[in-house]
Amino acid sequence: MTGRLLRSIACLLGVSMAVGCEQAPTPNGPATALPAGFLPATTLTANWHETLTDETPEGLSSTVVGAGPDRLLVFEIDPDHFEPVLLTSPGNGISALTALQENSATLVIGSGFVTEAHSLAPVGLLQHEGTVLNPVQVHGYTRILGINDDGIGVVHRKDYQRGLFHSAIQAGPGIVEAGELDISERDLRRPRYFRSFVAVCRDRWIAGVSLEPAHLRTLGVLFLEHAQARALACTEVVNLAGDRQAVLVAATSAGRVFTHGDPHTHKLSLIGFLPK
């Protein structure tokens, strides 16, 4: 696609997942709506999730968790069909859509934390294919989300060693740690933001986004209820950068791309899931 066409599609996709027509706000304060829909551009309908379910490739499944303003979109990812990879381009960044297309990925989620909203300078650890591009930050984000030959792992930053993972990012907070909710009720007094997150479960990984701005505690409660109802045995759920940094794109079996968040804005780091 040409840059002009991609920008036009981005404008057409400037809608809220909740009502399908609300324009995204100006970048003052937390976002109240994010671009969402299918590429090539279509108008979201009330049964958008049924459409997404019908077009979800083998090894991937999607579920909407919750109701009303507290809803999550979660993708369960089968390790027998997919392998994770950290996608990064320090200095230049990479958009979620470009990362999906150039790597033949099925799903891409992001992003890693950066110093400012439009910066490409990492906060904390950024390790890519054995090379440490930015060191661990000893204060702040407590979780290290890493990728090795066995898949995805999560450790506390104090337990991180370079040899644990070939690629890793520093993220957090840990919404769920060792299977337990780890976000206090104080979080409910903070602003709501759009969220993106990754979960490590017994026999699958989960990538998800909040469909509306959410508190991390509310997200954690909803997720644990869902995981327990499905006996998923999820041990770790890690928060990635949120608000306008939150993005998820997924290729469908119908040759389209489902997006939530801006698929064109460059991010420092993204997590992709590639078919085996």
Side-chain angles (χ1 to χ4, degrees), residues 1 9 37-42 51-52 54-57 97 100-101 105-106 250-259:
M1 293 185 182
I9 291 173
F38 291 90
L39 295 174
T42 60
T51 301
L52 179 60
D54 290 342
E55 297 182 9
T56 300
L97 183 60
L100 185 90
Q101 294 170 335
T106 300
T252 77
S253 59
R256 301 193 293 173
V257 176
F258 174 80
T259 74

Side-chain angles (χ1 to χ4, degrees), residues 124 135-141 157 170:
V136 173
Q137 180 174 277
V138 296
H139 303 289
Y141 303 118
R157 68 163 180 257
Q170 191 166 350

Side-chain angles (χ1 to χ4, degrees), residues 172-236:
I175 304 169
V176 171
E177 295 186 16
E180 301 291 335
L181 181 67
D182 199 51
I183 301 293
S184 75
E185 292 187 356
R186 292 192 303 273
D187 178 67
L188 300 177
R189 299 195 292 268
R190 301 183 178 112
R192 295 170 179 253
Y193 294 99
F194 281 101
R195 308 289 186 176
S196 57
F197 57 93
V198 171
V200 178
C201 308
R202 177 177 52 211
D203 60 356
R204 70 202 70 193
W205 306 304
I206 290 179
V209 290
S210 63
L211 296 178
E212 303 293 341
H215 291 113
L216 287 177
R217 183 175 176 86
T218 303
L219 187 159
V221 169
L222 280 173
F223 183 89
L224 279 178
E225 289 175 350
H226 170 70
Q228 290 164 1
R230 288 183 43 76
L232 297 179
C234 298
T235 55
E236 302 286 337

